[in-house]
Amino acid sequence: MDRLTSMAVFVKAADLGSFAKAAAALRLSPQMVAKHVLFLEDRLGTTLLNRTTRRQSLTDIGRAYYDRCKLVLAEAESAEALARDLRVAPRGTLRIGAGVTFGAYGLAPFVTRFLNRYPDVEIDLVLNDRFSDPLDDGLDLMIRIGEIVESSLIVQPLAPYRLIACASPAYMAARGIPAIPADLSGHECLGFASWSRSFTCEWQFTKDGRSEIVNVSGRLRGNDWKALLHAALAGQGITLGPEIALQEELAVGRLIRVLPDYGGPAKPMHLLYPAGRRPTATIRAFIDAVIDEFGEVRAGIKQPPVESGYHGG
């Protein structure tokens, strides 16, 4: 028998003073009520209820056990109520992972608004660019940029992570304004550290459905895009950076978009979370908010989540 159920039956029998009344209240037979009480007595090796044909009463041990049973049952009910509430109203802690640049410039402002909307939610934001499985890092969800390969995660496609080329007004005034992608070969281009040791790289641009690749080079490269942004602001060269991180600099005129008639590279971006378990209300609210903020539906393309895998950045 289930011990918690037997405790509930025992408490009801003690409260009502007879097995028959407890049976009626619980919609059980008197014989089943007796079995539950006997199960507990056999388990404990002692008598909990003194029973005669006319009355029943708690033994001293039964009284102490009765008091503890009420506490246990109350805690169990409280735990179930909390679980029900968590499925209805977002609350509790979420551990969210993302890449450093997108996390700082795109996800962090979004998370702030999400927390303002749900005051009972806490978020642990984990930003890094290493390749990993969210389950290994104890994450509830993660947003990653890059291709997805097969695994057991749920993958929700988001809008592409778009890159654009920008430079400071001072640099453009001194070095001229590129008119076509090929013009970049004569400019200082700030490169990410994944470039080769020769400080050269290929940048891809698209216009009217046609792609054009140009070899660019420069005297400065780095493994942190924020460092390259500061260099671009200082007039050191042209940077190819995330559109989401450049919006403010463009809006106030500290940077000017280079080749505005061309689309820059775009990388796939996805929301990933473990499969096989039903999301809580908190996780569901976060997923819905992320899709609303960063989803393909904003571009008129709605894609359903799929069970796939992660091996991206």
Side-chain angles (χ1 to χ4, degrees):
M1 287 187 175
D2 177 71
R3 189 175 5 164
L4 204 62
T5 301
S6 296
M7 285 181 176
V9 173
F10 163 69
V11 167
K12 183 64 71 175
D15 286 341
L16 297 181
S18 76
F19 287 0
K21 291 180 180 179
L26 297 172
R27 296 183 179 179
L28 299 173
S29 67
Q31 293 79 10
M32 182 56 68
V33 171
K35 286 183 178 180
H36 279 289
V37 174
L38 285 171
F39 166 74
L40 293 176
E41 291 179 331
D42 289 343
R43 180 181 178 85
L44 298 171
T46 188
T47 300
L48 299 175
L49 284 169
N50 290 317
R51 301 180 285 279
T52 67
T53 56
R54 294 184 178 181
R55 60 188 296 272
Q56 68 180 36
S57 61
L58 288 166
T59 64
D60 290 342
I61 295 177
R63 170 60 63 183
Y65 187 70
Y66 167 86
D67 291 338
R68 289 293 180 178
C69 283
K70 292 193 72 172
L71 291 175
V72 169
L73 292 169
E75 284 297 320
E77 179 59 33
S78 177
E80 290 184 358
L82 177 60
R84 288 193 295 268
D85 288 346
L86 287 173
R87 298 204 62 82
V88 175
R91 64 174 62 185
T93 301
L94 287 178
R95 186 171 168 83
I96 309 298
V100 174
T101 302
F102 172 76
Y105 289 95
L107 189 58
F110 162 79
V111 162
T112 299
R113 296 192 297 273
F114 185 84
L115 291 174
N116 289 336
R117 182 178 179 184
Y118 298 107
D120 294 326
V121 174
E122 298 177 357
I123 289 181
D124 184 5
L125 196 56
V126 182
L127 304 183
N128 62 67
D129 290 324
R130 64 186 177 85
F131 295 176
S132 66
D133 187 314
L135 293 176
D136 293 339
D137 292 338
L139 301 174
D140 294 299
L141 308 101
M142 72 187 308
I143 296 176
R144 285 300 187 194
I145 297 159
E147 296 295 337
I148 303 297
V149 297
E150 185 177 356
S151 92
S152 60
L153 299 174
I154 298 295
V155 178
Q156 171 67 56
L158 301 175
Y161 188 67
R162 301 187 184 280
L163 306 179
I164 58 175
C166 297
S168 70
Y171 176 88
M172 301 280 267
R175 298 292 300 270
I177 301 174
I180 59 175
D183 292 342
L184 292 174
S185 61
H187 283 265
E188 285 283 336
C189 294
L190 305 168
F192 208 67
S194 59
W195 291 11
S196 68
R197 292 182 182 273
S198 64
F199 284 74
T200 60
C201 181
E202 291 183 345
W203 285 1
Q204 181 176 347
F205 295 88
T206 304
K207 183 177 182 181
D208 300 328
R210 298 176 62 183
S211 294
E212 185 173 346
I213 296 176
V214 58
N215 288 316
V216 299
S217 62
R219 294 181 299 138
L220 176 63
R221 68 175 182 175
N223 66 348
D224 186 329
W225 185 79
K226 293 189 292 295
L228 301 180
L229 172 61
H230 290 309
L233 290 169
Q236 184 62 41
I238 298 173
T239 183
L240 184 69
E243 184 177 22
I244 197 169
L246 289 164
Q247 291 174 351
E248 181 178 350
E249 306 298 343
L250 293 170
V252 298
R254 287 192 288 263
L255 291 177
I256 299 173
R257 184 167 178 179
V258 176
L259 302 173
D261 295 334
Y262 290 81
K267 300 181 179 180
M269 186 165 70
H270 302 86
L271 173 67
L272 303 98
Y273 52 96
R277 70 186 188 194
R278 189 176 180 185
T280 65
T282 310
I283 291 176
R284 186 71 258 169
F286 191 85
I287 291 172
D288 291 343
V290 166
I291 293 173
D292 184 60
E293 180 78 10
F294 303 109
E296 288 276 17
V297 70
R298 283 195 161 194
I301 307 169
K302 186 175 181 181
Q303 297 190 33
V306 296
E307 286 199 20
S308 184
Y310 167 67
H311 230 324

